[in-house]
Amino acid sequence: MTTTSPSVRTAAPSGRQAPPTALGALGLFTVLLGAALPLIDFFIVNVALPSIDRDLAAGSALLELVVAGYGLSYAVLLVLGGRLGDLFGRRRLFLAGMAAFGLTSLACGLAPDAWTLVAARVAQGAAAALMLPQVLATIHSSTEGPRRARALSLYGATAGLAMAGGQILGGVLVTADIAGSGWRAVFLVNVPVAVAGLALALRAVPETRSDRPAPVDVPGTLLLALALLSLLAPLTEGRAAGWPLWTWVSLVVFPFAAGAFWWVERRADRRGAVPLVPPSLLALVPLRRGLMVVLPLSLGFSGFMFVVAVALQQGLQMGAVASGLAFVPMALAFFGASLAGPRLVRRWGTRVVPVGAVLQGLGVAAVVWSVGSDWQGLSVWDLVPGMAVAGLGQGLQLPVLFRVVLSEVPSERAGVGSGVMVTTQQSALTLGVATLGSLFLSLASSPAEMGTALRTTLLVQLGVVVLTLLLSLRLPRTVK
């Protein structure tokens, strides 16, 4: 038996390991497609909620569950999905996740009632949690050097476009009402995409896995799930439910669950076992400091997307398509900045991240000024400068942060590292909608007050951008 790559293994007829298989252009396109689908579905449903409410008589509490059920199962199971990829093979888990995502999307699109839709959304989030961690782990394990830098930049561009494009696509599909499908089209559109993704993955995605796979850490998995649920569930459901007793009890449980999780993981690490989130992994300075920046950046990003979309649709009575078009300048600027990222990082290192934070802050400030100067007469064109500058700033940050977080993660731990990162990102996206969204909705009791509520909320987000800037100054100066 000869040893080749520590993470990429393919079977050879003689029983010896074959040379590692690199991730080609078609394979990269395929895994990026798998990365886009879960993020699109996190945002695409926002513009479909009014139609779902009319069709299924869901009510506000169940509508919140349609959104929160997906986000919660997605966030809770991401690290486990990364561990399973390390254990059973990332291509295999990617295929399983893609197939499950297509089937659960079909179930969402055919749901006869609100509770069935909620259950299908929870299952869809679990399928996404199987698929998404394999994307970064595959890139990390089957590319290196400049190819890895380009692949991670494209991943960041894909993530940004998926988050901005989700609401645009949702508005188009709901308005088009294809064959009378209405809101169901936002889910059914995933089915042919998933079928195409399966066919491409079978052909072009190499199999990678850890050479030292570890069994699933059951206590750690259960405690992490309890910690995330006890924090995210009350924050996402509390406002719609009127903050009942269970929400406060759950928030009290959170610090104890988080502390118990960390104690169990440290104890397992000391015993020589392999915990779900090894504390030694979090000891890596680039990973730890990078995650500290990803958290406020993602929180502010999702909160911004949510409150602007709601304000334009409910406050100014813009249609779903018109409000979606407001995000086009942000998406285009984000994509361009992401593609330029590798060249800028080679010259300036991670200093591009604080520069991006400054630009993002200027963009948000420009949006605040536009909203404050003439709210009732505000048009999509008035938002273009601020949205474009904000997108440019975000595009200079997110792809570089992905590289920073994974830069010193060993290939055999690629699944765990990517799982930790996307869990942080997804939890922050959910927190952003829950916190900034709740602040905005509590201030906007009527359409006439939405302009003031939007300005106030965006000023709070501007404070989050300042925090991102300060934390980014502590990043390592260079990145692999």
Side-chain angles (χ1 to χ4, degrees), residues 274-371:
V274 183
L276 184 70
V277 180
S280 56
L281 196 66
L282 295 179
L284 298 174
V285 172
L287 183 139
R288 187 175 66 252
R289 293 185 180 178
L291 290 179
M292 290 177 65
V293 184
V294 168
L295 183 61
L297 176 62
S298 299
L299 185 151
F301 188 96
S302 64
F304 179 89
M305 299 284 290
F306 178 79
V307 299
V308 171
V310 172
L312 294 182
Q313 289 186 69
Q314 297 185 8
L316 296 180
Q317 303 303 311
M318 289 187 183
V321 174
S323 64
L325 290 175
F327 297 99
V328 171
M330 173 179 284
L332 294 177
F334 190 107
F335 186 70
S338 299
L339 295 182
R343 293 192 300 273
L344 296 174
V345 170
R346 282 197 298 270
R347 182 170 183 180
W348 302 106
T350 60
R351 286 187 289 268
V352 300
V353 177
V355 171
V358 171
L359 289 173
Q360 183 188 2
L362 291 174
V364 173
V367 173
V368 172
W369 183 85
S370 298
V371 170

Side-chain angles (χ1 to χ4, degrees), residues 110-183:
L110 300 179
D113 55 64
W115 278 111
T116 303
L117 178 58
V118 169
R121 282 285 284 174
V122 171
Q124 190 187 34
L130 283 181
M131 179 169 57
L132 186 61
Q134 318 315 326
V135 176
L136 278 172
T138 298
I139 290 173
H140 190 67
S141 299
S142 56
T143 61
E144 56 186 22
R147 292 185 67 251
R148 180 183 294 174
R150 285 193 297 271
L152 289 174
S153 294
L154 286 171
Y155 177 89
T158 301
L161 284 175
M163 290 186 281
Q167 292 181 185
I168 300 170
L169 178 61
V172 170
L173 289 173
V174 171
T175 303
D177 192 22
I178 302 168
S181 59
W183 61 267

Side-chain angles (χ1 to χ4, degrees), residues 226-456:
L226 177 61
L228 289 174
L229 283 171
S230 63
L231 175 65
L232 297 178
L235 290 179
T236 54
E237 284 294 299
R239 187 193 60 82
W243 297 104
L245 179 61
W246 73 263
T247 59
W248 299 107
V249 172
S250 183
L251 289 171
V252 170
V253 167
F254 167 69
F256 295 99
F261 168 73
W262 188 245
W263 181 81
V264 165
E265 298 299 273
R266 286 178 61 88
R267 185 168 176 266
D269 219 9
R270 286 195 297 267
R271 293 201 325 264
V274 183
L276 184 70
V277 180
S280 56
L281 196 66
L282 295 179
L284 298 174
V285 172
L287 183 139
R288 187 175 66 252
R289 293 185 180 178
L291 290 179
M292 290 177 65
V293 184
V294 168
L295 183 61
L297 176 62
S298 299
L299 185 151
F301 188 96
S302 64
F304 179 89
M305 299 284 290
F306 178 79
V307 299
V308 171
V310 172
L312 294 182
Q313 289 186 69
Q314 297 185 8
L316 296 180
Q317 303 303 311
M318 289 187 183
V321 174
S323 64
L325 290 175
F327 297 99
V328 171
M330 173 179 284
L332 294 177
F334 190 107
F335 186 70
S338 299
L339 295 182
R343 293 192 300 273
L344 296 174
V345 170
R346 282 197 298 270
R347 182 170 183 180
W348 302 106
T350 60
R351 286 187 289 268
V352 300
V353 177
V355 171
V358 171
L359 289 173
Q360 183 188 2
L362 291 174
V364 173
V367 173
V368 172
W369 183 85
S370 298
V371 170
S373 60
D374 184 14
W375 168 243
Q376 293 299 328
L378 187 71
S379 71
V380 170
W381 292 107
D382 297 323
L383 296 174
V384 168
M387 298 293 272
V389 174
L392 181 65
Q394 290 164 340
L396 290 176
Q397 295 174 82
L398 197 59
V400 180
L401 288 172
F402 290 154
R403 288 179 60 185
V404 170
V405 169
L406 295 176
S407 61
E408 293 187 3
V409 176
S411 293
E412 65 270 13
R413 288 186 169 184
V416 177
S418 61
V420 169
M421 190 182 74
V422 294
T423 297
T424 302
Q425 184 189 25
Q426 179 60 35
S427 299
L429 291 175
T430 306
L431 279 172
V433 174
T435 54
L436 293 178
S438 293
L439 172 64
F440 170 75
L441 293 173
S442 65
L443 296 173
S445 56
S446 68
E449 297 175 339
M450 284 199 174
T452 302
L454 181 59
R455 287 200 308 274
T456 303

Side-chain angles (χ1 to χ4, degrees), residues 59-82:
S60 60
L62 281 181
L63 288 178
E64 289 279 352
L65 282 176
V66 169
V67 178
Y70 176 85
L72 289 174
S73 64
Y74 185 20
V76 164
L77 296 173
L78 276 166
V79 177
L80 178 61

